[in-house]
């Protein structure tokens, strides 16, 4: 599916889960998200990540609500189920989407595509730069322990590299005509059927309708 369809689907499920706020619905969304992740995306990371996030939330909700109410365990379960449903849908969409496909699907809005792509790539680029800086300090025998050393030998080089990398992309973007008016095209578009295109925009409206109906 088109990455925008995954995003709209996740947004629609968030509207339904938060709007209806029912324990049975939240549990159903969790189960449905795991089934889709296994059958459609072929990834068990959604199930594992949801469980790792849900366990501490359940414990904290029980500590907060159980001592003050006889139905505290039910409140804790409902809140945890709602959180798990929201995270399951988010993780499913994040797993199914790749950054290149998402950026390509936004080619009609080139500036938005660049902002989204840069923001999503900043985390992996930052991790790679951080690992390089640590390796360089280790090769020089330089200690980075302590707040002063960490800021001086890790923090400042990391920020400087990220800023310079962002500035170095200005010339290629100008050459590519990012600021010029007119439509953009791609060599290979992201697959998208006509039914899917219309359905994607109907999903949030349907979600709002379900909330109002229930």
């Amino acid at each position: 599916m088109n990455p925008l369809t995954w995003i709209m689907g996740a947004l629609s499920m968030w509207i339904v889960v938060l709007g209806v706020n029912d324990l049975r619905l939240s549990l159903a969304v969790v189960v449905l998200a795991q089934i889709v992740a296994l059958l459609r995306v072929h990834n068990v990371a959604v199930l594992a990540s949801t469980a790792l996030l849900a366990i501490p939330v359940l414990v904290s909700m029980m500590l907060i609500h159980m001592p003050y109410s006889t139905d505290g365990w039910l409140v804790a379960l409902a809140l945890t189920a709602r959180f798990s449903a929201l995270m399951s849908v988010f993780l499913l969409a994040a797993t199914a989407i790749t950054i290149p496909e998402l950026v390509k699907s936004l080619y009609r809005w080139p500036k938005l595509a660049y902002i989204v792509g840069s923001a999503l790539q900043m985390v992996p680029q930052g991790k790679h730069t951080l690992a390089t800086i640590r390796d360089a300090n280790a090769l020089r025998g330089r200690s980075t322990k302590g707040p002063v050393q960490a800021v001086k030998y890790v923090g400042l080089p990391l920020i400087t590299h990220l800023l310079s990398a962002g500035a170095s992309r200005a010339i290629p973007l100008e050459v590519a005509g990012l600021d010029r008016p007119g439509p953009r095209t791609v060599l290979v578009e992201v697959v998208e059927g006509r039914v899917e295109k219309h359905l994607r925009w109907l999903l949030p409206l349907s979600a709002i309708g379900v909330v109002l109906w229930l």
Side-chain angles (χ1 to χ4, degrees):
M1 289 194 301
N2 190 287
L4 298 179
T5 304
W6 285 105
I7 295 175
M8 283 296 184
L11 175 62
S12 302
M13 292 306 300
W14 272 52
I15 294 174
V16 173
V17 171
L18 294 175
V20 178
N21 194 22
D22 183 77
L23 174 60
R24 293 169 296 181
L25 177 63
S26 298
L27 294 176
V29 171
V30 173
V31 175
L32 179 62
Q34 306 309 323
I35 293 176
V36 174
L38 292 175
L39 298 181
R40 184 67 174 81
V41 187
H42 306 291
N43 197 321
V44 297
V46 176
L47 176 60
S49 301
T50 303
L52 290 176
L53 292 172
I55 292 175
V57 171
L58 177 61
V59 174
S60 62
M61 291 296 104
M62 292 176 65
L63 293 175
I64 293 173
H65 294 282
M66 286 186 64
Y68 305 102
S69 174
T70 55
D71 295 331
W73 65 271
L74 185 59
V75 175
L77 181 61
L79 293 175
T80 304
R82 185 177 66 183
F83 172 82
S84 301
L86 298 177
M87 289 299 100
S88 297
V89 173
F90 170 77
L91 292 171
L92 174 61
T95 304
I97 293 174
T98 62
I99 296 178
E101 289 184 348
L102 178 59
V103 174
K104 284 171 60 178
S105 64
L106 298 172
Y107 73 91
R108 296 180 182 88
W109 308 281
K111 292 184 180 180
L112 177 61
Y114 170 71
I115 293 174
V116 172
S118 298
L120 294 177
Q121 290 178 351
M122 183 173 294
V123 175
Q125 289 176 354
K127 289 183 178 180
H128 176 72
T129 303
L130 181 60
T132 303
I133 293 173
R134 287 177 174 173
D135 291 341
N137 286 317
L139 290 174
R140 297 190 63 177
R142 179 185 292 163
S143 175
T144 58
K145 296 181 179 180
V148 177
Q149 290 83 353
V151 171
K152 183 178 180 181
Y153 298 122
V154 179
L156 291 178
L158 176 62
I159 295 174
T160 302
H161 182 273
L162 293 178
L163 291 177
S164 62
S168 64
R169 287 194 290 265
I171 296 178
L173 290 174
E174 184 177 354
V175 173
L178 182 68
D179 293 331
R180 295 181 180 179
R184 299 299 194 275
T185 59
V186 293
L187 295 177
V188 181
E189 296 187 9
V190 180
V191 178
E192 180 182 35
R194 182 176 300 178
V195 176
E196 179 185 348
K197 183 177 181 179
H198 294 291
L199 179 63
R200 180 170 67 237
W201 300 108
L202 290 176
L203 286 175
L205 298 177
S206 302
I208 296 174
V210 170
V211 173
L212 295 176
W213 180 57
L214 296 178

